Amino acid sequence: MSADPRRHVPRTDTLLADGQIVPAVERLGRDLVKDAVRSVQARIRSGELPPADSVAAVLAGLPATAASLRPVLNATGVLVHTNLGRAPLSAAAVEAVVAAAGTTDVELDLATGRRGLRGEAALAALRAAVPAAEAAVVVNNCAAALALVATALGQGRELVIARGELVEIGDGFRIPELLESTGARLREVGTTNRVTVDDYVRAVGPDTGAVLKVHPSNFVVRGFTREVPVAELAAGLAGTGVPLVADVGSGLPAPDPALPVEPDLQTTLADGADLVLASGDKLLGGPQAGLVLGRAELVQRLRRHPLYRALRVDKTTLAALEATLRGPLPPVRRMLAADVAGLRARADALAGRLAAAGVDAVAVDSAARVGGGGAPEHPLPSACVSLPEEFAERLRGGSPPVVAYVDAGRTLLDLRSLLPEDDDTLATAVLGAAAR
Ligand SMILES: *Cc1c(COP(=O)(O)O)cnc(C)c1O
């Protein structure tokens, strides 16, 4: 063998034309496969890899898909984790997304051959899930829903809002700044800790575009506090003709016994809100979306506003939303409903299995959270597998990566943010991390 390994480096064209590599080029595209080829050539040149292994090494170095986002196991105990993509879609929603991803009848009535109402089936599913809503419209996210409402109802006019509800949602996103960026003026009422229905009613006048209530989803104010419930505010505004808009944030369609503190769409409308806004990818358990439901005349105004065209959602979002509402319970709702005895049994079984393989693993009780700006002080009883601290980093580097959390020198894997069908994959990932 020559002393110069470069003489034995397979040519790029030769590798790309290899019978085992051609299907990868068709699936992933030439550029991504070329990247893998180049790194294999570099390893051969450095003498690290024998030239005979080049095809196998290219195949092993290929990404799973043409996009770099990877599936991750969320063992943080935070059900709606914004950094991990919020709600995981149900299998039914994923199937619906795949079916709608190609050419699809999103805006065509196949029976008549004429143009249809965009996403009509998803809107009908929303109305069915929230019977108090006369109509619904879907935009990109809840921030977009707020922007649309503030623009259509509040531009050049006043939006009346309680001082205690001028909320920062996270990552520097402040609702008052968003509202003002639309050209609406904020008319703040009450104090940081207290507001009364009279404060609102006194502020309403000919310039009022809407009264806005924002659910303080990621904090609580305790002590000498008072807010005005939607029912009381609606009664106070009766006869003024001013729309009452409620941003409830997390998107529970109806009350959930696991979360008595969280407002829901149906109750908020039944209590007298004219419009209710929420995210699609928090507790509803669906795709990123902003849901607007309520009085038909107001929803129509939003739909006809030019800004709607810039905020509307695509066909795959509509498909995922409809399947989330009509299909089996989505993962987030199943996680919320999981009983703690079942979670403890899963933690015991996993810890036993890992301990039998020599891993220092024990089952412990824990407190999970909704996350994503929901029910900040409402712990959900849960169970964890506890591992030595060094596992956290090793698990993040595995395949699939597992995101856990570290507490008091132990890595904790909370089972409430995972489904029972994930447990096998989790065990395999921990055993893999133990072997590294
Ligand atoms: C999360 C949240 C938002 C922002 O929702 P996105 O869908 O992330 O835009 C707005 N308002 C409230 C009350 C929230 O909880």
Side-chain angles (χ1 to χ4, degrees), residues 126-151:
L126 269 175
R127 291 193 303 270
V130 185
E134 293 170 7
V137 62
V138 182
V139 289
N140 179 57
N141 57 12
C142 191
L146 279 164
L148 183 59
V149 164
T151 308

Side-chain angles (χ1 to χ4, degrees), residues 86 141-143 146 169 173 175 214-215 217 247-249 279 282 289 372-373:
R86 289 197 183 158
N141 57 12
C142 191
L146 279 164
I169 295 297
F173 167 49
I175 287 181
V214 176
H215 178 56
S217 23
D247 171 8
V248 299
S279 297
K282 293 181 179 173

Side-chain angles (χ1 to χ4, degrees), residues 193-269:
N193 54 329
R194 285 173 74 87
V195 64
T196 66
V197 73
D198 283 346
D199 291 327
Y200 283 100
V201 172
R202 273 201 305 271
V204 166
D207 252 9
T208 310
V211 170
L212 186 59
K213 256 191 83 65
V214 176
H215 178 56
S217 23
N218 53 5
F219 69 99
V220 292
V221 183
R222 243 193 305 264
F224 185 54
T225 65
R226 175 166 177 179
E227 64 150 344
V228 183
V230 167
E232 195 185 336
L233 190 48
L237 295 173
T240 62
V242 171
L244 172 56
V245 180
D247 171 8
V248 299
S250 66
L252 278 178
D256 190 313
L259 282 179
V261 289
E262 206 54 35
D264 65 276
L265 300 166
Q266 171 67 17
T267 307
T268 307
L269 284 176

